[in-house]
Amino acid sequence: LGPSTAQGKPMPKMAESRSRPLMSSSPVRAPAPARRSRREPSFEPLMDSGLRLNAAHSTQELGAVLIDEAARLIDAQRVLLVLRDDATDDAGLQLAGAMLPPGESAPALLDAITPWLAESRRSRKPSLRHGPGDAAPADQRSCLIAPLVAQEASFGDLYADAEGAVNRFGREHLALLAA
């Protein structure tokens, strides 16, 4: 018996192809996968991050997982999770969590980036900065800010940075942090 449709009727015969093969009959080999540099981010870990975030059982645990995942995804040296008491006022900033090198102060870093957080609240767009501007790339710090928005209101920001000698963030890092 030949092939049939779901209703049991015989399938109509297909016309024979008149096209010629474009390539020889030798096997086609896929190109070797491109090697990723250590600093080039991958979108593959996003699924794992989502699962870890979804498994958090408390607000405190969610904040800790968010900080850990941000640092892991983009190879950040510093991460701050900053929440706002009021979506319209930058005076109510609350440091909800941090990951910093030993000896550094989260409140001091928060004070230094407060103007950038105000801009993030107004624009609701992620931002990337490198500075100081007159320094060589290896001597600059890459800084990313991703606003946290729910129901059209900005309720906080996720800040991450790295020294240029360790990592230099680009648009792909910004996309990962904002994802």
Side-chain angles (χ1 to χ4, degrees), residues 8 98 108 134 176 178:
D134 59 348
L176 279 170

Side-chain angles (χ1 to χ4, degrees), residues 74-149:
I74 63 171
D75 199 19
Q77 290 179 283
R78 295 166 196 82
V79 180
L80 293 183
L81 176 59
V82 181
L83 302 178
R84 288 188 190 82
D85 290 336
D86 181 359
T88 60
D89 182 17
D90 289 320
L93 294 177
Q94 175 188 357
L95 189 58
M99 184 204 78
L100 301 169
E104 293 192 15
S105 164
L109 180 57
L110 178 59
D111 286 344
I113 66 169
T114 295
W116 295 348
L117 298 177
E119 180 183 323
S120 174
R121 179 186 53 80
R122 285 189 296 274
S123 73
R124 294 185 185 170
K125 294 181 182 174
S127 63
L128 168 63
R129 293 176 171 81
H130 297 102
D134 59 348
D139 296 326
Q140 292 180 335
R141 185 181 288 188
S142 294
C143 304
L144 296 173
I145 296 177
L148 303 173
V149 178

Side-chain angles (χ1 to χ4, degrees), residues 153-175:
S154 174
F155 65 91
D157 295 281
L158 188 59
Y159 168 86
D161 74 34
E163 300 297 330
V166 174
N167 195 2
R168 183 168 178 89
F169 297 152
R171 289 276 174 221
E172 59 279 353
H173 296 92
L174 187 62

